[in-house]
Amino acid sequence: MIGSLTVLGLGPGAPEWITPAAQAALDAASDLVGYGPYLDRVPERQGRTKHASDNRVEVERAAQALRLAAEGRRVAVVSGGDPGVFAMAAAVFEALEAGPAAWRALPITVEPGITAMLAAAARAGAPLGGDFCAISLSDNLKPWEVVTARLAAALAADFVICLYNPISKARPWQLGEALALAAGRRAADTPVLFARAVGRPDESLRILTLAEARAAAGTADMATLVMIGASGTRLIAREGGAPYVYTPRSVAKRPCATSQGRT
């Protein structure tokens, strides 16, 4: 009997942010494969086996999932957020390409999820209303020189920039260097979001200036999504609440009269 493999995302953390399609794949699976903390978010169920592993063995984890599917199992590979954004979908296809030809007959499905930058943007307002990009600051799979070259290009193009994997115990300096690079191309009062664990009980959202963000770089962690505004990103002040953050859809039109600018 041929099995199946579905790669899915659990979203940032809130149970209501798991898509119905991803939930259906979880419910149908006989085996769940993933990073331990992500699998911990899925309730135990009789007849379903969890295969947890460390966060630095993505391709090995993907190969294990493919072997289980080849044995006739209904396998779900579990990611946080969206499985196609710096996550397990690419690892599955990397393992598939390098693995036995028989694996290519397996039915493989990728179910999308809500990635951290979309959850953070929704909390803040509409900072991704214009052109944007996502860059991982991790240099585990690419040289730091590649990271900084891509960051410099995105800054020059005036994208809103979402930084994943901004800092860790092994590389506590990289976010500070990235923000210093941004300060060479963006104004000191450019809005920067530090969105941590959005959708979880310990969620926090800080709206800072670029100058403040540079000073606060050491307070971020791997659960933090950092978003650097474009030159046109704006704040709308509110009494009794945090400002709304948005990026106008057009760079040719002036914001409407109700906008307060960076106040």
Side-chain angles (χ1 to χ4, degrees), residues 6 8 18-30 32 45 48 74 76 111:
T6 302
L8 60 90
I18 300 176
T19 68
Q23 186 62 58
L26 285 173
D27 293 342
S30 62
L32 304 182
R45 193 193 70 192
R48 183 169 64 191
R74 297 185 308 279
E111 294 293 352

Side-chain angles (χ1 to χ4, degrees), residues 136-153:
S136 171
L137 289 191
S138 173
D139 59 355
N140 289 332
L141 299 175
K142 58 182 181 289
W144 179 244
E145 293 75 17
V146 171
V147 177
T148 54
R150 291 175 178 176
L151 182 57

Side-chain angles (χ1 to χ4, degrees), residues 109-194:
T109 304
V110 180
E111 294 293 352
I114 298 173
T115 189
M117 66 181 180
L118 300 182
R123 284 286 195 255
L128 303 182
D131 294 333
F132 63 90
C133 69
I135 296 175
S136 171
L137 289 191
S138 173
D139 59 355
N140 289 332
L141 299 175
K142 58 182 181 289
W144 179 244
E145 293 75 17
V146 171
V147 177
T148 54
R150 291 175 178 176
L151 182 57
L155 288 163
D158 200 19
F159 288 116
V160 174
I161 302 172
C162 303
L163 299 178
Y164 282 73
N165 306 314
I167 197 167
S168 71
K169 292 180 180 178
R171 44 183 183 81
W173 52 272
Q174 290 177 332
L175 178 59
E177 184 168 322
L179 292 171
L181 187 61
R185 299 295 303 235
R186 302 276 164 94
D189 62 349
T190 299
V192 176
L193 307 183
F194 278 32

Side-chain angles (χ1 to χ4, degrees), residues 126-131 232-234 246-256:
L128 303 182
D131 294 333
T233 301
R234 301 174 65 81
Y246 86 103
T247 302
R249 293 172 296 166
S250 172
V251 298
K253 297 178 181 178
R254 297 184 61 183
C256 64

Side-chain angles (χ1 to χ4, degrees), residues 84-107:
V85 179
F86 306 123
M88 282 302 299
V92 165
F93 290 111
E94 183 178 348
L96 179 69
E97 184 177 24
W103 285 357
R104 302 189 183 196
L106 291 169

